[in-house]
Amino acid sequence: MFSTLLVALAVADPLAQGSVQGTVRAASSEEPIAFATVEVIELERGTLTDRAGYFVLVQFPAGSWTVRASALGYRDAERAVEITEGAALQLDFSLVLDPVRIPGITAEAARGVDPAGPGALRIDIEAAKVVPALAEPDVMRAVQILPSVSAASDYSSALYVRGGAPDQTLVLVDGFPVFNPYHFGGLFGAFNPDAVASVELLPGALPASFGDRLSSAINVRTREGGRARTRGTGGLGLVSSRAALDGPLPGRRGSYLMSGRRSYLDLVGGGVRGEGVIPSTFRTGFQDALVTGTHSVGRYGLLSAVVFADEEWMRLPESHSSAVEYDWSWGSRLAGFRLRRPLGTATIAEVRIGWTDFRTSLDSWWGVGGPGDKDQTVRARGSMRDFLVGADLNWFLLGHEVSVGVQVDSYRMDYDSWRAQDPPEGFFEEYVPRMDSEYGLRTLAAYVEDQWTVSEAVHLRAGIRMLAAKDAGAEWGPRLGARVDLAPGLALNLGAGRYLQAVHSIRAEEAVGTNFMSYDLLRPVAPSDGMSVSEDLVLGIAWTRVAFSLRVDGYLKRMEGLQHPPLPLDPRHAQVIEAQDFQPATGKAYGLEVLGQYGSGLAGVWLSYALMGVKRTVEGVEFTPRFERRHAVDLMTRFSLPDGLRLTLRSVFATGQPTTPADGLIWPPEYDPARRGFTNRLPSTTLLLGEHNSERTPAYWRVDV
């Protein structure tokens, strides 16, 4: 059926009038320029290029016209064209660099992705690099400066978007999903900043082409290698070293990019121990690598590939303070291939194949003898895998862009752990449950959507997405969006949608130990409970001037069919991973977000404010999740100093997070059966906890320089 639709739309190519298609690239490197503006000056009509720099303008009347291409940081280029009736003109632009001074942070609506409704927030990598970071630039932590995103702790990079848990955010690399893109348990993101072009966040009101998660989507877009010459970049940090190399493929019909990063904490562990900083040779480290390639197919077709891998390890031998030895490792893999090709002059087809997985392994031993004398206390293995095949079709008409698509995902999850009956007291033994589970899941997603330019000031988007999963049935999710341009630079945005999810995390969000483990392990939803569902409504206004921009969004969200572990009696000692015992839960969230920016040549100011309220209900008990911060203010300033130096200051203030109060201590009596009476020695104490998350920690303030 889908192939028949492709043929039908290609045959229906609107050639009654002329059309123009082409690409916009940088003259120096021949890299594509995403979201460049291409317009016909006399007709006052235009469009934006996609991520590959490709554009289509359709249904032009015959005549002589001037086509102009422009992009921030490049000199405008104009071409005179002659359009005849039914002609299909091919037109490419090469823009010359013309740098302009801009503020340190660029967060803007990415209308090339979603022109109708609340748009995506995009952070370019050069902007992300000026955000004060821990030891080195981190693209995942840079996303936390947006008001839609909160974190459970300063340690964790896991993202909680508008009241949704991290497993409810879809993380993509060039459009392919990746599991757990973090290092050091969530302290750093796993992407080398030298290989990243930008990060896009869709915090709500998602278009029908994005799924299938309840809350949001993040797309990390890598750089396309330059086709003009070979280039190399790199850096030395406090934690790791990184390098990247890109250049043209033979024949200059394509390009490649290779990047790698490796920490050296484990290499210097012996020296740190020798200085007495740590009592034992604590060996930990990480490494990651990314390779991309693009090759032109025909004039405007493109074959692209992305391969990503990261690995991490933590090895703690026994010491004088502990006879327990640990060996823990984990890592993610991703491989994706995409073929995009025009069908005629107004239709683009895309086919993609991807594979991604995550694996973790944990072993610990107890004993003071040699390796052969030690007893194993914990052994745990876990793996997640997703193999996907998908296809999309975009059909450009005058005032309309119609998109249809389909994707099949095949998931496999396998978890196995073993514990000694009475292991010694230690960290991992307390938080790792016994598991022996294997899951398989296949889902089918399909969507159709139309983006309609009603007039120069009114833009509408309407679509629907279907998700079907074995044993969980099929659900439909309508998506709507609208943008009304009230005045030049001033727009009113409205969006709404219903979102579906067939998997959920087995991580216990209310356990305190989750602050130090950002990794989600997924399993299918229970067939008896059906899919998890969320609905949101977003209303916003955006105002843009030359040196100033302001965006205000308000949202409401409702979630049903969530899978939640039982509320822990003591969150301090609750297991981070829940093996089986999940309860049906519901949730709701509301919020107001303000994102403002002002920049001049020598200085810039960036300010965000977020008001957020979140509730979960489990077994009839309503509570506030521990990650909620009711109010949060993030202020960042940038100053350019002499000799090319730059000073960035960031101040973050937030109200306290929910916490379970301690109501008191009791000393339960201890009975000695030999004496037939109570012992005289002091018995152990027991902490009495109050209502779950009924109080809050003190307010929080942090300054980064």
Side-chain angles (χ1 to χ4, degrees):
M1 177 180 177
F2 184 71
S3 60
T4 304
L5 181 59
L6 283 174
V7 175
L9 292 178
V11 172
D13 206 8
L15 291 178
Q17 294 179 303
S19 63
V20 178
Q21 62 176 324
T23 59
V24 179
R25 293 181 176 271
S28 58
S29 63
E30 297 187 19
E31 290 187 51
I33 302 177
F35 311 119
T37 301
V38 182
E39 55 187 334
V40 181
I41 298 176
E42 295 84 354
L43 298 177
E44 296 184 349
R45 286 175 46 193
T47 187
L48 297 181
T49 61
D50 63 11
R51 295 179 182 86
Y54 180 78
F55 69 91
V56 175
L57 294 166
V58 297
Q59 292 183 275
F60 284 115
S64 299
W65 313 107
T66 304
V67 182
R68 178 169 59 200
S70 59
L72 183 65
Y74 294 88
R75 192 177 305 159
D76 294 355
E78 295 183 359
R79 299 277 295 276
V81 299
E82 185 75 25
I83 299 292
T84 59
E85 185 175 348
L89 184 66
Q90 296 177 340
L91 187 63
D92 298 323
F93 290 92
S94 294
L95 302 188
V96 178
L97 279 172
D98 186 17
V100 296
R101 302 186 71 89
I102 61 174
I105 291 297
T106 300
E108 59 185 18
R111 291 181 175 176
V113 176
D114 184 16
L121 295 167
R122 185 171 70 250
I123 300 178
D124 294 330
I125 188 59
E126 293 304 320
K129 287 181 178 180
V130 306
V131 178
L134 179 63
E136 58 184 53
D138 188 343
V139 297
M140 296 301 288
R141 280 194 176 270
V143 177
Q144 293 182 3
I145 67 177
L146 301 174
S148 304
V149 180
S150 58
S153 68
D154 276 352
Y155 180 88
S156 175
S157 294
L159 306 178
Y160 296 80
V161 181
R162 290 185 176 175
D167 68 303
Q168 296 165 5
T169 292
L170 180 66
V171 180
L172 305 168
V173 177
D174 289 342
F176 294 97
V178 61
F179 295 125
N180 298 325
Y182 307 108
H183 285 314
F184 282 161
L187 188 60
F188 301 110
F191 302 116
N192 184 346
D194 291 333
V196 175
S198 65
V199 182
E200 297 168 353
L201 169 67
L202 288 92
L206 276 67
S209 57
F210 279 85
D212 294 292
R213 293 295 190 270
L214 296 184
S215 184
S216 60
I218 293 177
N219 189 19
V220 178
R221 189 170 64 87
T222 63
R223 290 196 298 116
E224 182 175 318
R227 298 190 179 193
R229 57 188 174 88
T230 300
R231 303 172 299 179
T233 60
L236 297 175
L238 297 177
V239 175
S240 66
S241 297
R242 64 184 191 274
L245 183 70
D246 71 280
L249 293 174
R252 297 186 183 274
R253 292 280 295 166
S255 62
Y256 69 89
L257 168 69
M258 300 185 296
S259 74
R261 184 170 54 165
R262 215 278 191 189
S263 68
Y264 29 72
L265 293 179
D266 58 329
L267 304 180
V268 300
V272 175
R273 180 189 180 186
E275 294 297 324
V277 178
I278 56 177
S280 64
T281 308
F282 177 68
R283 300 180 63 86
T284 182
F286 66 81
Q287 58 190 14
D288 55 61
L290 185 141
V291 178
T292 67
T294 60
H295 194 276
S296 297
V297 179
R299 185 173 178 85
Y300 294 123
L302 193 67
L303 177 64
S304 59
V306 56
V307 177
F308 168 77
D310 74 84
E311 182 181 13
E312 193 162 359
W313 56 90
M314 181 186 298
R315 300 181 178 95
L316 181 62
E318 64 179 73
S319 65
H320 66 273
S321 60
S322 173
V324 184
E325 181 176 342
Y326 298 107
D327 191 342
W328 192 14
S329 62
W330 59 93
S332 300
R333 306 287 187 274
L334 165 67
F337 302 89
R338 183 193 310 271
L339 174 62
R340 192 207 62 177
R341 190 161 189 176
L343 302 178
T345 59
T347 309
I348 302 177
E350 179 179 288
V351 178
R352 61 188 175 277
I353 299 175
W355 168 85
T356 180
D357 82 342
F358 173 80
R359 297 178 182 274
T360 180
S361 173
L362 168 65
D363 290 284
S364 69
W365 296 269
W366 167 263
V368 294
D373 299 329
K374 295 180 180 179
D375 296 324
Q376 191 169 46
T377 59
V378 170
R379 182 191 67 237
R381 304 288 185 271
S383 66
M384 300 182 293
R385 183 201 67 192
D386 178 20
F387 178 77
L388 67 90
V389 178
D392 296 279
L393 179 70
N394 290 344
W395 188 29
F396 297 88
L397 294 172
L398 185 60
H400 292 268
E401 181 181 344
V402 180
S403 304
V404 296
V406 64
Q407 180 170 308
V408 176
D409 288 80
S410 179
Y411 295 93
R412 188 76 175 182
M413 301 93 163
D414 191 1
Y415 309 118
D416 176 70
S417 67
W418 174 90
R419 291 178 55 181
Q421 200 66 27
D422 296 306
E425 191 174 339
F427 179 80
F428 289 122
E429 289 76 9
E430 188 173 358
Y431 297 110
V432 178
R434 292 183 176 87
M435 293 185 294
D436 185 10
S437 305
E438 187 174 324
Y439 308 99
L441 175 67
R442 183 169 297 172
T443 63
L444 169 65
Y447 75 91
V448 59
E449 189 168 60
D450 180 24
Q451 302 201 52
W452 178 24
T453 302
V454 180
S455 66
E456 187 176 343
V458 180
H459 306 263
L460 300 178
R461 168 174 55 85
I464 190 167
R465 186 178 183 92
M466 183 273 295
L467 179 63
K470 183 180 179 181
D471 299 329
E475 294 281 352
W476 296 86
R479 315 281 176 91
L480 298 172
R483 187 181 90 243
V484 179
D485 296 325
L486 305 176
L490 181 64
L492 180 67
N493 295 294
L494 175 67
R498 188 171 189 260
Y499 316 100
L500 312 166
Q501 187 166 326
V503 296
H504 70 90
S505 176
I506 62 175
R507 192 177 64 157
E509 288 294 336
E510 292 303 303
V512 173
T514 308
N515 283 332
F516 309 100
M517 195 190 90
S518 295
Y519 303 110
D520 279 309
L521 301 178
L522 304 178
R523 56 165 281 182
V525 296
S528 58
D529 297 326
M531 290 190 196
S532 302
V533 178
S534 73
E535 299 169 341
D536 72 354
L537 175 65
V538 184
L539 177 64
I541 190 167
W543 184 31
T544 304
R545 286 292 183 265
V546 175
F548 175 79
S549 65
L550 177 67
R551 173 169 169 169
V552 180
D553 287 334
Y555 65 89
L556 296 172
K557 180 183 292 185
R558 181 178 64 182
M559 293 174 279
E560 297 179 347
L562 303 180
Q563 304 283 311
H564 201 286
L567 295 182
L569 297 177
D570 187 347
R572 302 170 305 155
H573 304 295
Q575 290 182 336
V576 175
I577 301 299
E578 175 61 47
Q580 297 292 338
D581 192 12
F582 290 90
Q583 307 293 330
T586 61
K588 56 185 178 181
Y590 66 88
L592 177 69
E593 300 168 355
V594 180
L595 178 61
Q597 175 187 323
Y598 174 80
S600 62
L602 298 177
V605 178
W606 184 90
L607 174 67
S608 75
Y609 165 75
L611 163 67
M612 179 174 62
V614 186
K615 293 292 184 182
R616 293 283 194 272
T617 302
V618 180
E619 295 182 297
V621 178
E622 185 179 71
F623 65 95
T624 304
R626 65 180 184 85
F627 61 82
E628 189 225 66
R629 294 188 188 274
R630 187 59 54 86
H631 301 275
V633 180
D634 195 320
L635 173 65
M636 191 167 72
T637 58
R638 173 194 57 83
F639 304 94
S640 295
L641 304 177
D643 300 324
L645 298 177
R646 180 174 56 203
L647 174 65
T648 306
L649 303 175
R650 183 186 179 196
S651 176
V652 181
F653 173 82
T655 52
Q657 294 173 283
T659 184
T660 301
D663 286 349
L665 288 172
I666 61 172
W667 286 264
E670 293 186 357
Y671 182 76
D672 187 349
R675 298 181 180 180
R676 296 186 179 182
F678 293 102
T679 60
N680 293 324
R681 57 189 175 87
L682 184 66
S684 60
T685 61
T686 299
L687 182 66
L688 294 180
L689 297 179
E691 182 181 352
H692 184 75
N693 286 357
S694 58
E695 294 186 3
R696 288 184 179 268
T697 60
Y700 165 92
W701 183 34
R702 189 184 83 239
V703 177
D704 299 329
V705 181

